[in-house]
RNA sequence: CGGGACGUGGCGCAGCCUGGUAGCGCAUCUGCUUUGGGAGCAGAGGGUCGGAGGUUCGAAUCCUCUCGUCCCGACCA
């Protein structure tokens, strides 16, 4: 591709509304433009990146026997009503009516329609397994689009669905997806973790997420570098550190005027936060539940919900006073008539052993010293706390790290929820009608691109992984009007193209500095510069990333040098 | 949905507090010069200040409403 013919609107300055590195660079580099909040245009360069990602996805999906097809993005409401999601999902779903007043929705995902198709077309266990996929638009009216292309309202997703006769079959389809996904993310050049993830409130089924570490990420994962255990913070288990300090085992009220937060109480009583217990009242339906975690830990609401099997919300201040007789900041587990759930690290069998802590006294401006769980109050125990950096791995005992990540893919064992709701059944070998056992698997190509930029850029611009760069080689002709340079550049453009490289030939009549800056911003893996020594048959070549420096080579040996640099790249 | 900020030529910004009908840099167009790191000089075009209403002799500037965008939080099948 000649740059003079390419629509490649680069910018010198960061767009004012961009925060994330990938957002700034993808806009500046002429890859994307924002159309509205959370709705993006992919320009030629950006689309080339997406297409390269998609190609990798297709190759690996095809390799596990998945079949590509294309589903509608405008759905009738009825299938969504049959699975109940029409009612369960709130404002996140775009809803509309057709001209005759029929309720329609824009596709947020495609379980319903894939299952609808399966219900019509699959009849026998002999036709199984089936894995169908598409690379198709999804629409979600996010409450808060952010991070450029990272969290948007309309986006491309590769989604696949597996249909099996039984749980064993699902295991196989799921394992195939793990294989394909591992390959896909390796090939895109991302650093990533496959982590245990929350299968949702329905419970039971298994799920994993593919997470690319990045400060721009919205999810956090706990990772053990030693044994490879990795889990989304929403469910990651860990062994808490032992609490510090000690508290007399004699129950004693102490006045703590105005000391409401853990930090205030900790400083006031001169005790470490891990010697305190944080008491949090939540409401679930009509029930009140008091959750206890150690002062140096955080309650994870999803974990509590999973334990209670219900959604919860923090109690309002009036509800706290009604249930405990005290204000927020002074409540505790003793003498309250509600269900009490404590984090397992507080159990007498936990890392602190049977020991005393400080809690609120359920009395204004008063705390209680010497509270022992098991002796003074007997709560149920569950894993309620967020895994923290410095906790130990439950598998091997090594230290866990916690890092922010971008979710680039996920895989779910759905079971029969959708097949039962939509009547997707086949006959088994005994002629008995059985519901299909399904899995659902997603990948966000644009998130892969954005995560790659997040993970691989410098102050000059993007450093694309070689597999998804918009072009392999950026051929910079320093002077567009120099005939010798044009001759050499044209020759190289052709020669490299014949060897299969995707080449961007910058033949624009721009000043050299402009071309160099653009080349660095756009970030193709190898740059070839045709400049002052072109007449002698000498050009320069250098990789965009890595520590290889610029070198001069003869035109004849250039293709070989490009291949060499390519092998060293990433 | 709660909190915060911002909306001024294509892009990035100043002007607003202390009202007097708009300015800078980049980009664009023309000419000349220049050509290995986002060129120089000269000239030109382009905005009515997100929108509506109000206050005022007069509003980019003050007030009200509204729309849009971003950030933090909540939310995220």
């Amino acid at each position: 591709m000649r740059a003079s013919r390419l629509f490649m609107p680069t910018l010198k300055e960061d767009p004012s509304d961009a925060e994330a590195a990938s957002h700034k660079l993808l806009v500046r580099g002429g890859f994307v433009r924002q159309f509205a909040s959370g709705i993006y245009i992919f320009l030629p360069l950006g689309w080339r990146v997406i297409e390269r990602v998609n190609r990798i996805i297709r190759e690996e999906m095809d390799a596990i026997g998945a079949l590509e097809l294309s589903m509608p993005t405008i759905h009738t409401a009825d299938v969504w009503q049959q699975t109940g999601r029409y009612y369960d999902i709130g404002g996140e779903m775009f809803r509309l009516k057709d001209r005759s007043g029929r309720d329609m929705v824009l596709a947020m995902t495609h379980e319903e329609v894939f299952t609808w198709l399966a219900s019509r077309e699959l009849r026998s266990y002999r036709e199984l397994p089936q894995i169908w996929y598409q690379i198709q638009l999804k629409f979600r009216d996010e409450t808060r689009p952010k991070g450029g292309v990272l969290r948007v309202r309309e986006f491309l997703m590769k989604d696949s669905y597996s249909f099996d006769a039984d749980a064993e079959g699902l295991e196989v389809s799921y394992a195939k997806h793990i294989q394909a996904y591992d390959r896909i993310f390796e090939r895109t050049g991302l650093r990533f973790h496959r982590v245990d993830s929350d299968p949702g409130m329905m419970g039971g089924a298994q799920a994993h997420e593919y997470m690319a570490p990045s400060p721009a990420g919205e999810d956090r994962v706990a990772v053990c570098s030693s044994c490879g255990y990795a889990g989304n913070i929403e469910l990651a288990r860990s062994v808490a550190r032992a609490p510090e300090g000690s508290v007399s085992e004699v129950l004693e009220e102490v006045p703590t005027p105005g000391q409401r937060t853990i930090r205030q109480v900790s400083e006031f009583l001169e005790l470490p936060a891990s010697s305190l217990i944080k008491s949090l009242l939540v409401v679930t339906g009509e029930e009140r539940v008091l959750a206890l975690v150690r002062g140096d830990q955080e309650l994870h609401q999803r974990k509590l919900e999973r334990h209670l099997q219900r959604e919860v919300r923090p109690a309002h201040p009036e509800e706290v006073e009604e249930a405990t007789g005290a204000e927020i900041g002074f409540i505790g587990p003793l003498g309250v008539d509600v269900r009490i759930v404590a984090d397992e690290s507080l159990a007498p069998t936990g890392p602190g052993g049977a020991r005393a802590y400080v809690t609120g006294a359920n009395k204004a401006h008063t705390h209680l010293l010497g509270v022992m769980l098991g002796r003074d109050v007997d709560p149920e125990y569950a894993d309620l706390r967020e895994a923290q950096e410095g906790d130990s791995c439950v598998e091997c005992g090594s230290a866990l790290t916690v890092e922010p990540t971008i979710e680039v893919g996920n895989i779910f064992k759905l079971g029969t929820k959708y097949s039962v709701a939509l009547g997707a059944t086949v006959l088994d070998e005994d002629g008995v009608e059985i519901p299909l056992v399904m899995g659902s698997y997603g990948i966000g190509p644009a998130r892969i691109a954005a995560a790659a930029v997040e993970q691989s850029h410098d102050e000059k611009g993007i450093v694309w992984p070689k597999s998804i760069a918009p072009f392999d080689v950026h051929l910079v002709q320093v002077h567009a009007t120099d005939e010798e340079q044009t001759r050499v550049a044209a020759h190289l453009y052709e020669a490299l193209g014949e060897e299969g490289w995707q080449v961007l030939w910058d033949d624009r009549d721009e000043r050299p500095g402009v071309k160099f800056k653009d080349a660095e911003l756009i970030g193709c893996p190898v740059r070839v510069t045709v400049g002052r020594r072109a007449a002698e048959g000498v050009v320069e070549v250098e990789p965009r990333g890595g520590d290889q420096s610029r070198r001069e080579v003869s035109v004849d040996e250039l293709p070989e040098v490009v291949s060499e640099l390519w092998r060293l790249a990433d």
Side-chain angles (χ1 to χ4, degrees):
Chain A
M1 173 69 68
R2 285 169 173 251
S4 59
R5 291 184 44 234
L6 180 63
F7 178 54
M8 185 180 78
T10 56
L11 302 173
K12 282 187 190 177
E13 289 170 289
D14 285 335
S16 63
D17 54 6
E19 197 75 12
S22 60
H23 188 188
K24 292 177 182 168
L25 289 171
L26 288 172
V27 172
R28 279 191 58 205
F31 293 86
V32 300
R33 285 294 184 265
Q34 181 170 324
F35 175 69
S37 180
I39 304 177
Y40 277 81
I41 293 162
F42 281 79
L43 301 173
L45 279 182
W47 191 245
R48 287 182 70 96
V49 172
I50 296 297
E51 282 293 302
R52 288 192 106 166
V53 171
N54 289 348
R55 181 171 176 178
I56 291 171
I57 291 172
R58 288 194 172 99
E59 287 173 3
E60 297 300 335
M61 292 306 296
D62 293 349
I64 61 167
L67 301 167
E68 184 170 7
L69 46 67
S70 179
M71 285 289 182
T73 53
I74 300 182
H75 299 174
T76 53
D78 55 3
V79 285
W80 289 84
Q81 287 162 347
Q82 284 177 56
T83 62
R85 291 162 110 186
Y86 190 78
Y87 311 105
D88 296 340
I89 297 169
E92 205 183 345
M93 180 181 276
F94 283 104
R95 298 162 201 258
L96 62 156
K97 288 183 192 293
D98 70 11
R99 64 168 70 205
S100 63
R102 186 181 189 188
D103 287 318
M104 314 286 282
V105 306
L106 297 186
M108 296 181 61
T109 172
H110 282 79
E111 278 81 8
E112 276 78 1
V113 181
F114 270 88
T115 309
W116 179 90
L117 180 66
S119 75
R120 311 264 303 186
E121 306 296 339
L122 297 178
R123 302 200 165 76
S124 163
Y125 74 98
R126 291 171 187 270
E127 298 173 276
L128 305 180
Q130 292 286 341
I131 300 176
W132 299 338
Y133 78 98
Q134 63 172 348
I135 298 176
Q136 182 61 283
L137 288 174
K138 304 282 181 280
F139 302 88
R140 297 181 190 179
D141 195 1
E142 294 284 349
T143 49
R144 184 149 109 76
K146 60 182 290 200
V149 114
L150 283 172
R151 181 160 214 87
V152 289
R153 299 194 292 172
E154 175 191 310
F155 58 100
L156 214 51
M157 179 186 264
K158 186 292 299 179
D159 49 327
S160 48
Y161 304 85
S162 64
F163 303 94
D164 284 281
D166 51 34
E168 291 72 43
L170 173 58
E171 289 300 328
V172 174
S173 293
Y174 195 80
K176 281 183 177 174
H177 275 87
I178 287 182
Q179 178 193 331
Y181 275 41
D182 284 355
R183 290 273 305 141
I184 288 164
F185 293 113
E186 278 161 18
R187 286 181 62 186
T188 57
L190 287 183
R191 286 187 290 117
F192 70 95
H193 303 294
R194 182 178 73 234
V195 310
D196 295 338
S197 78
D198 184 359
M201 291 298 292
M202 298 309 148
Q206 191 181 15
H208 289 89
E209 289 165 331
Y210 283 78
M211 307 298 259
S214 159
E218 299 183 273
D219 289 282
R220 284 178 301 148
V221 300
V223 179
C224 173
S225 56
S226 159
C227 74
Y229 171 80
N232 191 309
I233 207 86
E234 290 177 353
L235 51 57
R237 292 176 53 78
S238 67
V239 178
R241 284 166 298 195
E244 297 169 346
S246 65
V247 177
S248 156
E249 296 186 359
V250 180
L251 274 176
E252 180 191 357
E253 284 189 357
V254 289
T256 49
Q259 313 297 310
R260 293 162 203 273
T261 66
I262 288 291
R263 188 169 171 179
Q264 287 168 343
V265 176
S266 166
E267 284 172 8
F268 185 79
L269 297 176
E270 296 181 342
L271 283 168
S274 55
S275 279
L276 316 186
I277 289 177
K278 205 186 291 190
S279 306
L280 300 146
L281 190 73
V282 300
V283 177
T284 163
E286 288 305 300
E287 193 184 13
R288 310 283 151 92
V289 175
L290 191 66
L292 307 180
V293 297
R294 224 165 62 191
D296 60 330
Q297 296 172 158
E298 296 299 324
L299 172 71
H300 198 289
Q301 194 170 319
R302 298 282 292 185
K303 285 186 167 184
L304 178 60
E305 288 177 341
R306 228 174 354 257
H307 175 71
L308 297 174
Q309 291 288 304
R310 306 192 60 168
E311 287 185 32
V312 306
R313 63 167 173 82
H316 301 307
E318 317 83 68
E319 292 168 329
V320 170
E321 291 204 42
E322 184 201 337
T324 68
E327 282 178 54
I328 288 176
F330 303 101
I331 70 172
L334 265 61
V336 291
D337 182 26
V338 297
R339 181 174 174 186
I340 301 175
V341 187
D343 180 68
E344 59 192 7
S345 67
L346 290 169
T349 54
R355 58 156 284 168
Y357 292 91
V358 177
T359 73
N362 294 320
K363 188 171 162 186
H365 304 285
T366 309
H367 279 75
L368 201 53
L369 266 56
V371 175
M372 294 183 72
L373 301 190
R375 183 190 71 180
D376 305 318
V377 59
D378 199 19
E380 54 193 288
Y381 295 98
D383 177 23
L384 299 182
R385 69 183 189 286
E386 279 187 8
Q388 294 178 328
E389 188 105 15
D391 286 358
S392 305
C393 175
V394 288
E395 302 287 337
C396 75
S398 304
L400 290 178
T401 57
V402 173
E403 51 189 335
T405 56
I406 297 165
E407 181 185 352
V408 287
N410 58 45
I411 55 179
F412 278 88
K413 289 181 186 170
L414 293 177
T416 58
K417 176 182 174 186
Y418 296 94
S419 53
V420 167
L422 290 163
T425 60
V426 293
L427 295 184
D428 70 8
E429 42 214 296
D430 302 318
V432 176
E433 200 169 67
I434 53 169
L436 291 165
V437 181
M438 294 174 53
S440 138
Y441 317 86
I443 291 181
R447 279 194 175 179
I448 290 178
V453 176
E454 290 290 336
Q455 291 185 352
S456 182
H457 68 273
D458 58 24
E459 64 288 345
K460 294 174 179 171
I462 300 169
V463 183
W464 284 109
K466 60 187 179 186
S467 60
I468 63 173
F471 292 92
D472 302 322
V473 178
H474 198 138
L475 181 64
V476 178
Q477 181 180 342
V478 176
H479 296 301
T481 52
D482 182 307
E483 284 181 21
E484 280 300 326
Q485 289 184 17
T486 301
R487 190 180 58 73
V488 170
H491 166 70
L492 287 176
Y493 181 67
E494 188 155 332
L496 290 168
E498 276 170 12
E499 301 211 1
W501 301 111
Q502 295 279 322
V503 182
L504 176 60
W505 172 10
D506 194 343
D507 60 339
R508 295 175 300 170
D509 189 10
E510 288 286 351
R511 299 182 62 88
V514 173
K515 299 189 184 193
F516 295 145
K517 293 289 185 198
D518 276 349
E520 283 151 352
L521 178 59
I522 289 165
C524 300
V526 176
R527 178 172 122 200
V528 175
T529 307
V530 178
R532 53 187 153 221
R533 297 190 66 191
E536 308 163 46
V538 175
V539 297
E540 295 156 31
V541 58
E542 65 186 297
R544 174 66 179 86
D547 45 15
Q548 296 274 310
S549 57
R550 190 178 307 172
R551 57 204 252 208
E552 297 197 317
V553 302
S554 75
V555 168
D556 293 340
E557 61 182 344
L558 180 85
E560 180 49 40
V561 175
V562 168
S563 300
E564 185 190 315
L565 287 175
W566 195 259
R567 284 193 295 274
L568 295 171
D570 280 12

